[in-house]
Amino acid sequence: MAGIIIMQETYRTLTEKLTEVVGKNPDKVALQMKNFAGYIKYTYQELYDNAQAVACALNGMGVQKGDRVTIVLENRPEWVFIYFGILFAGAIAVPLDPQSIMDDFKYFLENSESKVVFTSQKHESIIFTAAESVAVLPTIVLLGNAKTSKAVVPSLSFYDFLKKDYGVLDGIKILSDDIASIIYTSGTTGKPKGVMLSHGNFYANFRGIEKANLFDFEYNVIAVLPLHHSFPFMVTMIVPIFSGGRITCINSIKREEIAECVQETDITIFVGVPQFFYFFQQTIISKLNEIPFFARIPLWWMVNILHKVRQLTGINLNNLMLAKINAAFGSSLKYFITGGARLDKNTEHFFNKVGFTLLQGYGLTETSPVVTLNHAGGVKIGSVGRVISNVKIKIIDPGENGIGEVVISGPNVMKGYYKLEKETAVVIKEGWFYSGDLGYIDHQGYLFLTGRKKELIILGSGKNISPEEVEAHYLKGKYIKELCVMGVGQDENEKLVAVIVPDFEYFKETGEIDIYNTIKLEIDIFSKGYPLYKCIMGFIISKDDLPRTGLGKLKRHEIYDRYLNELEGARSAVCEEELDEPSLKILTSPLYKTISTIITEEKKLKDSVHLNDHLGM
């Protein structure tokens, strides 16, 4: 009896796949972006021709296979041309966050040893200044009409760069294992690490997503998230192009401009981060509240009934019931996709209830990036889905509740960190990537995330707290816009405190002026019935938005450094002078004073014990 032959998929290069897609769809629109005269559009053939022109120009400038070329651009069609042009030249793309600070730009350019930097006039000043400090000066290619006044760094305009006759590409052989991108990703401490991702890594990830059948219709994806991040790079650029779809670029996060673009261009897939959907949720609720009370009650009753029908049958009737409200997202929208950070399940449940399909996924830059996805026909609220094709996950060192570290294996796992072999060996062991994320897998194979291993707050009592979980709980309050939870103090004196950014717009609407005490009351309300060791015991107010990554993740280390001194003196979330009469009787009783004295001396506390103190018991 003949043995069974298992065919293993061959992973191709990104340039090969683009060439194939262009051959099938030369005249189809691939990219579009709104300008002052309307929407400028580029076909697949024009995308290819522009990428070839970039490649020839780079080749003519002396860029060779394996050289690094940096992109510092906002989302625009040229971003795509330049990226593929770098690959056709056999070089490695280094996409950077245009919002990076000067020191980071200096480090990125020095560490990557980039020969060329593509940027726009918007970022001209910071890029030229950073480039001047690099040992080997890169050539700056500037997108825009005006010429730069900077003289130290060699530069030319994008127009002059392309119009020169550099001839044709000659004999550049690109392999699947060649590095396509180096993407810098920040950790909690130390310098950002450059993640080396090959053509094969990206192509394998595309194939895994493609097999989920999320893109099996004529569709148009809005590219509102910055393309230098691996999540939007894959989901709003690579997958749409390789699937023959259309990308609509928008370089704005203003809700009015996004809504206008969605409606004008018939967007079918909206890819965002949790912050987008929290805002959308509040917008929809506001629209619902505009409906007269006598009509809103029966409407919401009907919405709940039809939501039950959807849960039982999969038939979505609320998209028709609430068609006028949902029309703000356009009539062609098929579904939302969210990633980059964990979405609160209450928000996910809300979108599902009002007739939308919101698909949550999970991944990391080191995994190219997608690992799991919820499919359109099998969404499980609260989970980040099941593994995509060709990827494996498992939970190691699980506790009694099944929660442990998520480790990942597959052809999507990075080649390593650039110039950091020791750091690579720490996270890749025997073919498995150790993500640092904590979670569990249910009996149906759905992954649920519970927090980050390095971000866990471990109290002196031994209790483990996921700050994300606590933040999601308290963010249900109407008066809180942003919240970052952390532990301050040592051993028995450690307590959970928070930096809170109030929703000042909501305060204006309600007429409340006592911001601190209003938020304190809000925290008290949400603390009732919540495990004591997870309750916020003090907080400070910040008028400034909390620092975040481009995908909306809190920069906890930066927040901690910025607010530590204030946090150590944070006022209690419960003020004893405002306690009720029974509590005040306890506070002034001889028995309380005796117990307080004993505990203070036994625990060697700096201050006396208060009624709201958490003693780790």
Side-chain angles (χ1 to χ4, degrees):
M1 182 175 176
I4 298 175
I5 299 176
I6 300 175
M7 299 295 292
Q8 186 171 0
E9 183 168 3
T10 300
Y11 297 108
R12 304 163 62 189
T13 67
L14 301 185
T15 47
E16 283 177 333
K17 182 61 179 177
L18 178 63
T19 303
E20 175 192 293
V21 173
V22 171
K24 294 178 180 178
N25 309 281
D27 300 321
K28 191 174 181 180
V29 174
L31 296 158
Q32 62 184 17
M33 185 171 183
K34 192 173 187 177
N35 63 14
F36 64 93
Y39 282 88
I40 182 170
K41 300 181 180 182
Y42 297 91
T43 65
Y44 273 87
Q45 188 63 55
E46 288 170 330
L47 187 167
Y48 181 83
D49 292 344
N50 277 294
Q52 286 290 310
V54 170
C56 288
L58 288 171
N59 191 245
M61 290 172 62
V63 172
Q64 300 177 357
K65 183 174 179 179
D67 286 341
R68 276 72 61 202
V69 177
T70 290
I71 306 173
V72 186
L73 286 172
E74 59 278 4
N75 286 8
R76 54 196 293 175
E78 291 91 343
W79 204 107
V80 184
F81 305 156
I82 291 166
Y83 181 82
F84 280 109
I86 293 169
L87 299 193
F88 275 117
I92 298 169
V94 184
L96 299 180
D97 182 356
Q99 303 302 318
S100 298
I101 61 175
M102 177 66 73
D103 286 345
D104 282 344
F105 276 128
K106 290 178 181 178
Y107 171 74
F108 296 145
L109 295 180
E110 187 73 57
N111 184 252
S112 66
E113 300 173 282
S114 290
K115 284 194 171 182
V116 179
V117 180
F118 290 92
T119 192
S120 66
Q121 288 175 285
K122 186 177 181 180
H123 313 293
E124 172 187 351
S125 179
I126 192 170
I127 293 302
F128 274 92
T129 303
E132 289 172 359
S133 68
V134 178
V136 180
L137 297 179
T139 298
I140 308 293
V141 179
L142 192 63
L143 278 72
N145 296 322
K147 299 218 173 178
T148 180
S149 59
K150 305 287 183 179
V152 177
V153 180
S155 63
L156 66 162
S157 71
F158 189 59
Y159 174 77
D160 291 336
F161 169 77
L162 288 181
K163 75 177 183 180
K164 292 185 178 180
D165 184 12
Y166 290 108
V168 295
L169 297 174
D170 184 31
I172 299 175
K173 187 171 179 61
I174 304 168
L175 304 175
S176 175
D177 200 44
D178 288 342
I179 300 169
S181 296
I182 295 175
I183 302 177
Y184 285 92
T185 180
S186 299
T188 53
T189 58
K191 291 285 188 182
K193 297 186 286 290
V195 178
M196 298 186 292
L197 297 170
S198 70
H199 286 257
N201 288 150
F202 283 131
Y203 186 78
N205 207 237
F206 157 70
R207 286 289 290 148
I209 298 169
E210 183 184 44
K211 289 176 182 178
N213 295 321
L214 296 180
F215 301 87
D216 57 351
F217 53 85
E218 190 73 17
Y219 65 94
N220 179 12
V221 178
I222 186 168
V224 65
L225 297 179
L227 291 173
H228 65 270
H229 277 288
S230 59
F231 168 54
F233 170 81
M234 176 57 65
V235 182
T236 66
M237 190 182 108
I238 293 297
V239 172
I241 288 175
F242 286 0
S243 302
R246 179 181 301 192
I247 303 170
T248 298
C249 295
I250 180 169
N251 188 27
S252 173
I253 57 172
K254 294 181 179 178
R255 57 181 178 179
E256 298 83 3
E257 293 182 22
I258 293 174
E260 185 179 77
C261 179
V262 166
Q263 293 174 355
E264 288 179 343
T265 61
D266 294 325
I267 295 296
T268 53
I269 300 176
F270 189 108
V271 181
V273 290
Q275 281 183 298
F276 277 66
F277 300 107
Y278 298 147
F279 172 76
F280 291 160
Q281 180 182 5
Q282 294 305 315
T283 301
I284 295 170
I285 290 172
S286 296
K287 291 289 185 182
L288 287 169
N289 287 338
E290 291 175 3
I291 299 172
F293 180 78
F294 67 87
R296 187 166 70 245
I297 296 303
L299 173 65
W300 198 244
W301 177 81
M302 194 64 189
V303 166
N304 283 309
I305 294 295
L306 294 181
H307 180 237
K308 291 293 183 184
V309 172
R310 182 180 188 181
Q311 289 177 311
L312 294 172
T313 67
I315 300 173
N316 182 10
L317 297 175
N318 274 330
N319 60 342
L320 300 175
M321 174 69 66
L322 301 173
K324 288 186 178 180
I325 291 176
N326 295 351
F329 299 99
S331 59
S332 300
L333 186 71
K334 294 284 186 181
Y335 43 77
F336 295 111
I337 296 178
T338 181
R342 193 157 51 125
L343 179 71
D344 179 53
K345 67 179 181 181
N346 293 311
T347 298
E348 189 178 5
H349 179 76
F350 175 83
F351 273 87
N352 190 268
K353 177 182 282 190
V354 297
F356 289 108
T357 299
L358 176 57
L359 307 178
Q360 187 172 188
Y362 162 67
L364 307 98
T365 301
E366 290 89 341
T367 57
S368 306
V370 180
V371 174
T372 64
L373 273 175
N374 271 289
H375 296 193
V379 174
K380 181 170 280 194
I381 303 295
S383 85
V384 291
R386 292 185 284 195
V387 289
I388 63 172
S389 174
N390 66 43
V391 176
K392 296 178 181 178
I393 62 173
K394 63 182 179 179
I395 305 297
I396 62 166
D397 301 326
E400 293 180 1
N401 52 10
I403 295 174
E405 184 175 0
V406 180
V407 297
I408 303 152
S409 175
N412 59 317
V413 173
M414 68 172 180
K415 292 174 70 71
Y417 294 123
Y418 186 58
K419 299 179 180 179
L420 296 171
E421 292 184 8
K422 290 182 179 179
E423 287 82 350
T424 300
V426 170
V427 297
I428 298 180
K429 304 172 186 177
E430 298 180 352
W432 290 89
F433 172 71
Y434 285 63
S435 70
D437 289 312
L438 299 173
Y440 65 92
I441 302 171
D442 73 4
H443 67 283
Q444 292 181 312
Y446 285 86
L447 175 64
F448 291 78
L449 298 178
T450 59
R452 287 283 297 170
K453 189 175 180 180
K454 290 183 179 179
E455 291 176 357
L456 278 182
I457 299 170
I458 304 175
L459 297 178
S461 62
K463 295 286 189 181
N464 291 355
I465 299 172
S466 166
E468 286 186 347
E469 177 193 331
V470 176
E471 288 156 4
H473 176 74
Y474 285 100
L475 278 170
K476 296 171 187 174
K478 297 178 181 179
Y479 290 98
I480 299 175
K481 178 185 175 184
E482 290 186 287
L483 172 71
C484 180
V485 170
M486 57 194 73
V488 297
Q490 294 182 347
D491 302 324
E492 293 91 344
N493 292 323
E494 187 172 15
K495 62 180 180 179
L496 213 59
V497 296
V499 181
I500 292 176
V501 179
D503 189 336
F504 293 108
E505 290 299 320
Y506 195 76
F507 271 97
K508 288 180 182 178
E509 291 176 10
T510 58
E512 293 282 355
I513 58 174
D514 189 350
I515 293 176
Y516 184 87
N517 283 306
T518 301
I519 288 179
K520 181 184 70 63
L521 178 60
E522 187 110 295
I523 289 177
D524 292 348
I525 291 170
F526 283 97
S527 293
K528 290 179 180 177
Y530 201 50
L532 181 60
Y533 69 93
K534 294 182 181 180
C535 288
I536 292 175
M537 293 299 181
F539 67 92
I540 61 170
I541 296 291
S542 173
K543 294 180 180 179
D544 301 320
D545 289 342
L546 299 179
R548 293 176 180 270
T549 66
L551 290 188
K553 290 183 179 179
L554 290 171
K555 294 183 176 180
R556 297 183 186 277
H557 186 69
E558 186 175 325
I559 295 169
Y560 184 83
D561 288 343
R562 182 184 299 182
Y563 295 101
L564 177 59
N565 290 337
E566 290 181 69
L567 287 168
E568 288 180 333
R571 283 190 284 172
S572 168
V574 180
C575 296
E576 290 176 350
E577 59 268 24
E578 299 178 12
L579 294 173
D580 55 25
E581 188 174 345
S583 296
L584 285 172
K585 286 182 178 179
I586 295 173
L587 185 64
T588 57
S589 69
L591 178 60
Y592 171 81
K593 292 179 179 179
T594 301
I595 294 173
S596 174
T597 301
I598 292 172
I599 294 175
T600 301
E601 292 176 354
E602 179 69 24
K603 295 284 187 178
K604 298 179 181 178
L605 302 178
K606 295 178 181 178
D607 301 310
S608 298
V609 175
H610 301 282
L611 286 180
N612 58 296
D613 282 342
H614 168 48
L615 301 177
M617 298 175 66

